């Protein structure tokens, strides 16, 4: 079985993508709760592959420390590249790039970055790799996990980030033989406020 874990909550006042923002205290608590769920449900894996973006790396390290499993950093697991908007405060990004303040078409690239369609194509290749393995935990972001859901369900690619419920710290199970994926744990964000 392959397990996919979205990183915990980071500082959402900033544009995410490839930005290197750390987990918040809430984000750390979310991941600790997810680890507790994994241990209680005897979820095991021999390898951890993680995005090399800070919030994912911090998440992977928490899991690695709890399980004693090594991590391999993999830039293919990165979130959508938002180019020049990466790391900007939300208000700043809205002022400098107002055309991106609302939903953009799936083929419109962020300035010097990717489009949602680019992310989909990039993650489709990663999914082929994931389906060839077993017994691993993948620590990544909402974008890549959503792309796997779109590909596996055959649903049309749309910009709705919330469609598959990929919340901070959520854990998803991918059966590589059956090519089926489902969410198995969600550390509800409201519990931490």
């Amino acid at each position: 079985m392959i397990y996919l874990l979205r990183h915990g909550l980071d500082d959402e006042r900033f544009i995410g993508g490839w930005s290197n923002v750390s987990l918040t205290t809430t984000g750390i608590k979310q991941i600790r709760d997810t680890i507790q769920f994994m241990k209680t449900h005897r979820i095991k894996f021999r390898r951890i592959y993680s995005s090399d973006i800070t919030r994912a790396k911090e998440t992977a390290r928490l899991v690695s420390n709890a399980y004693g499993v090594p991590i391999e950093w993999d830039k293919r697991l990165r979130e959508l590249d938002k180019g020049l908007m990466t790391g900007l405060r939300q208000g700043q990004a809205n002022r400098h790039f107002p055309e991106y303040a609302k939903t953009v078409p799936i083929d419109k690239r962020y300035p010097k970055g990717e489009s949602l369609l680019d992310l989909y194509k990039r993650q489709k290749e990663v999914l082929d790799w994931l389906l060839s393995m077993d017994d691993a935990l993948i620590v990544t972001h909402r974008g890549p996990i959503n792309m796997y859901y779109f590909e596996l369900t055959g649903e049309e690619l749309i910009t709705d980030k919330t469609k598959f419920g990929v919340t901070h710290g959520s854990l998803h199970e991918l059966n590589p033989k059956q090519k089926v994926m489902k969410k198995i744990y969600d550390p509800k964000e409201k519990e931490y406020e």
Side-chain angles (χ1 to χ4, degrees):
M1 204 63 66
I2 303 295
Y3 296 95
L4 296 115
L5 172 60
R6 183 183 177 195
H7 62 79
L9 181 68
D10 57 316
D11 190 339
E12 296 206 313
R13 293 175 297 174
F14 298 91
I15 298 293
W18 290 13
S19 67
N20 281 308
V21 178
S22 290
L23 296 178
T24 62
T25 303
T26 296
I28 293 167
K29 288 177 185 173
Q30 289 169 331
I31 298 308
R32 287 187 176 142
D33 285 350
T34 303
I35 292 167
Q36 184 60 49
F37 170 86
M38 292 191 297
K39 290 194 168 245
T40 299
H41 289 82
R42 297 184 182 147
I43 291 173
K44 296 181 180 172
F45 39 86
R46 291 184 300 196
R47 301 175 295 250
I48 299 173
Y49 296 96
S50 175
S51 161
D52 62 348
I53 302 291
T54 299
R55 58 196 182 273
K57 287 171 83 172
E58 291 172 349
T59 298
R61 285 187 182 114
L62 288 167
V63 178
S64 176
N65 290 340
Y67 271 84
V69 174
I71 306 166
E72 186 174 319
W73 309 118
D74 194 327
K75 66 181 183 179
R76 295 177 302 167
L77 298 168
R78 287 181 178 184
E79 180 60 278
L80 175 70
D81 179 5
K82 295 191 176 171
L84 297 176
M85 293 176 63
T86 298
L88 294 178
R89 284 188 171 270
Q90 293 284 353
Q92 198 179 17
N94 292 344
R95 278 192 306 280
H96 293 295
F97 303 99
E99 67 274 25
Y100 294 90
K102 296 182 181 175
T103 304
V104 297
I106 64 169
D107 59 349
K108 183 172 182 170
R109 287 193 171 102
Y110 283 84
K112 298 200 184 223
E114 292 179 300
S115 69
L116 188 64
L117 190 57
D118 292 331
L119 175 66
Y120 176 79
K121 290 174 183 174
R122 177 164 56 89
Q123 292 308 316
K124 188 173 180 195
E125 291 179 17
V126 173
L127 181 60
D128 290 341
W129 169 67
L130 293 177
L131 293 171
S132 73
M133 69 168 73
D134 199 3
D135 212 15
L137 175 73
I138 310 302
V139 179
T140 188
H141 309 266
R142 176 170 49 193
I145 296 173
N146 275 337
M147 297 307 104
Y148 308 146
Y149 273 114
F150 278 116
E151 178 63 16
L152 291 168
T153 62
E155 292 192 37
E156 183 180 350
L157 180 62
I158 59 173
T159 57
D160 182 0
K161 295 179 182 181
T162 63
K163 180 171 181 59
F164 299 107
V166 183
T167 56
H168 291 103
S170 61
L171 185 66
H172 307 261
E173 181 181 81
L174 170 59
N175 184 322
K177 291 183 178 129
Q178 296 178 358
K179 297 183 180 177
V180 173
M181 194 162 99
K182 64 181 177 181
K183 180 162 68 169
I184 59 172
Y185 181 71
D186 185 351
K188 304 284 185 208
E189 293 181 16
K190 299 287 183 211
E191 295 173 5
Y192 301 96
E193 294 175 356

